[in-house]
Amino acid sequence: SEVLLRDPRKTLDMSWIDLLVSLKACFSRKDRRRVEKELQEILGAEEIVTLSVRSGFDLLLSAVALPKGSEVLFVPGITIPSMVQLVEAHGLQPVGVDPVSPQKMLPATLEQLVTPKTKMVVISHLFGSIHRADHIIKEAKDLGLLVVEDC
């Protein structure tokens, strides 16, 4: 059964047992280094775990310190407003890329979209679907762009 909140329109997509296990994990103390090592073994060395996509994205934008006015492509250009606000707060220019069609959310190539100011591509996997983005990721890396997948 699902955990219901007071407002019947809002539900948590988890069972009571998931909620209880999560609460237990929040209140149990673990050795930080052991947890970091476990996460590194599971995720690999290039991943970081953050509170949310937005907090991780803000941390990333702070760490990479792109030049002011740099463009950040959102592929597709459908995202939550706070992601765009974060880009703007860092002095960067968000650029939304229209989906090719409702069935094809990613463009075939970035060639026509990238300018000398483009420094990062954010690929959003929307509505519970996973887009085949290997070609976009490879092209972006070949162009020297940072790639962020918002899953």
Side-chain angles (χ1 to χ4, degrees):
S1 70
E2 290 183 337
V3 178
L4 297 176
L5 302 175
R6 289 183 188 239
D7 185 340
R9 293 176 290 146
K10 298 178 181 176
T11 61
L12 295 176
D13 187 17
M14 64 185 345
S15 69
W16 281 105
I17 203 79
D18 293 331
L19 181 62
L20 293 173
V21 168
S22 299
L23 286 173
K24 180 182 178 241
C26 288
F27 292 107
S28 66
R29 293 188 150 259
K30 288 189 174 185
D31 176 40
R32 178 178 168 211
R33 297 208 189 277
R34 191 178 97 230
V35 171
E36 287 175 353
K37 185 177 180 202
E38 288 173 9
L39 285 173
Q40 189 173 23
E41 288 172 6
I42 293 168
L43 300 174
E46 295 185 18
E47 282 80 11
I48 184 169
V49 178
T50 60
L51 178 63
S52 68
V53 169
R54 291 176 296 281
S55 62
F57 190 52
D58 187 35
L59 181 66
L60 173 70
L61 291 174
S62 295
V64 298
L66 297 173
K68 300 289 185 207
S70 294
E71 294 176 347
V72 176
L73 293 181
F74 284 91
V75 182
I78 304 166
T79 190
I80 57 174
S82 59
M83 292 292 279
V84 172
Q85 291 164 353
L86 282 171
V87 167
E88 292 171 335
H90 285 271
L92 308 172
Q93 180 65 44
V95 177
V97 177
D98 290 334
V100 177
S101 71
Q103 296 79 27
K104 186 174 166 79
M105 299 299 275
L106 303 181
T109 181
L110 295 174
E111 186 177 4
Q112 300 295 320
L113 306 168
V114 173
T115 72
K117 287 186 163 191
T118 307
K119 304 295 181 201
M120 180 183 288
V121 177
V122 178
I123 301 169
S124 298
H125 298 277
L126 302 170
F127 314 119
S129 63
I130 303 295
H131 305 299
R132 293 179 189 224
D134 293 347
H135 68 288
I136 296 290
I137 294 168
K138 182 182 180 331
E139 183 181 5
K141 287 182 177 181
D142 289 347
L143 292 168
L145 303 176
L146 293 169
V147 178
V148 174
E149 282 191 88
D150 180 0
C151 304

